[in-house]
Amino acid sequence: MNKFILYIRATLFWVGFALSSLLVGLVAPFLLFASYETSYKVLSPWTNFNLWWLKVTCGVNYDIKGRENIDNNRNGIILANHQSTWETLLFPTIFPPISWVLKKELFKIPFYGWGLAKVKPIAIDRDAGSSAVDQVKTKGKERLDEGNWICIFPEGTRVNPGEKKRYRMGGALLAEYCAKQSEDGKGYPIYPVAHNAGECWPRHSYIKKPGTITVSIGQPFTVEGLDPGEINEKVKNWIEAEVETLPPAVKKTK
């Protein structure tokens, strides 16, 4: 498709994205004393709108495999690959309510950061070392016990399709910690998730490519009897193998 047309379509998307983020930011201060449930219900339509607006303006659609693997009566820990901003829009529509493990600098973003702070994220300083990991474990278990899902991107940053990056241990350590604290030794299940969103929404790219993103939700597993290294390796192996089986998000033109 003509690059100029793609640029215009992306511009329309970004205008809608910016205006909707501004609206959320303006509403957020009024939710200061509102309950978490109320705040989540008021703010969550922002993600649905932007997924729809992205489809309308840029032709980016999606398909979800493995919805049947989700136990709606049992929240868990989502460990997924990270290729773009897109998955942060979709996941709250699949696993509500969701708490993100994210860098605290995101709170400084005007409007967007104000709304983000209202949905019980776990904000960490990535340079804090072991104290950041301890915060993920304690705050993560607290959020899980409250009924929230926890989402962690083990790669720690967005990674281009086809590239590989070392998986960090935060999610595995959280799962092990919860298991050790539980009476049955199982803790909360891990849900591995793989996708190819970066093909349509590349990292640092203004233009969005029309196509259909595939998201695959794997069968959850408990970490009983596994150490953090084994947990991390199991998640990594599944995600990397699953990504290879996903159909191309963007059709190649001759």
Side-chain angles (χ1 to χ4, degrees):
M1 186 178 294
N2 186 286
K3 191 171 183 179
F4 176 73
I5 295 176
L6 292 178
Y7 184 88
I8 295 299
R9 295 176 73 174
T11 299
L12 290 173
F13 167 73
W14 283 117
V15 169
F17 184 89
L19 291 176
S20 63
S21 299
L22 174 62
L23 178 61
V24 165
L26 292 174
V27 170
F30 294 98
L31 298 174
L32 182 62
F33 300 106
S35 68
Y36 168 72
E37 290 75 16
T38 298
S39 297
Y40 203 94
K41 288 179 180 178
V42 171
L43 298 175
S44 59
W46 177 83
T47 59
N48 290 290
F49 167 77
N50 281 293
L51 286 169
W52 170 80
W53 188 234
L54 182 66
K55 179 181 177 180
V56 170
T57 56
C58 299
V60 178
N61 207 341
Y62 61 89
D63 180 51
I64 300 176
K65 297 169 50 182
R67 275 190 183 272
E68 67 278 5
N69 291 327
I70 300 175
D71 182 354
N72 292 314
N73 297 314
R74 181 60 167 166
N75 59 321
I77 302 167
I78 307 156
L79 298 183
N81 62 319
H82 195 18
Q83 293 188 352
S84 77
T85 304
W86 182 87
E87 55 266 26
T88 67
L89 297 176
L90 181 75
F91 287 2
T93 71
I94 305 175
F95 304 99
I98 192 170
S99 290
W100 301 94
V101 175
L102 45 79
K103 53 186 179 182
K104 65 179 183 180
E105 289 81 6
L106 291 177
F107 290 155
K108 298 178 182 179
I109 300 175
F111 305 110
Y112 174 80
W114 302 346
L116 189 63
K118 288 296 298 179
V119 291
K120 290 188 177 180
I122 302 170
I124 62 171
D125 180 356
R126 292 193 295 184
D127 297 325
S130 60
S131 63
V133 174
D134 289 340
Q135 187 177 10
V136 169
K137 292 194 297 185
T138 56
K139 285 292 184 181
K141 184 177 184 301
E142 180 181 321
R143 295 287 183 262
L144 288 162
D145 290 346
E146 291 170 349
N148 278 31
W149 294 76
I150 297 291
C151 183
I152 300 177
F153 298 117
E155 293 159 306
T157 189
R158 290 170 292 175
V159 179
N160 292 323
E163 296 181 3
K164 295 183 179 181
K165 190 175 178 65
R166 180 180 65 86
Y167 277 41
R168 300 185 181 188
M169 297 290 291
L173 289 168
L174 169 61
E176 182 203 38
Y177 177 77
C178 291
K180 287 183 175 180
Q181 296 292 316
S182 65
E183 293 182 0
D184 61 5
K186 295 181 179 179
Y188 291 91
I190 284 180
Y191 284 79
V193 178
H195 62 86
N196 54 3
E199 295 180 28
C200 290
W201 187 325
R203 182 185 182 192
H204 302 317
S205 175
Y206 184 84
I207 289 176
K208 310 294 175 274
K209 300 177 182 179
T212 300
I213 296 167
T214 301
V215 178
S216 180
I217 302 167
Q219 292 187 351
F221 67 91
T222 59
V223 302
E224 185 180 17
L226 300 176
D227 63 41
E230 292 170 329
I231 297 168
N232 219 32
E233 193 67 16
K234 184 172 183 177
V235 170
K236 178 177 180 290
N237 290 341
W238 186 88
I239 290 176
E240 291 185 351
E242 187 67 11
V243 166
E244 294 297 323
T245 71
L246 302 180
V250 179
K251 293 183 179 178
K252 295 182 179 180
T253 57
K254 296 181 179 180

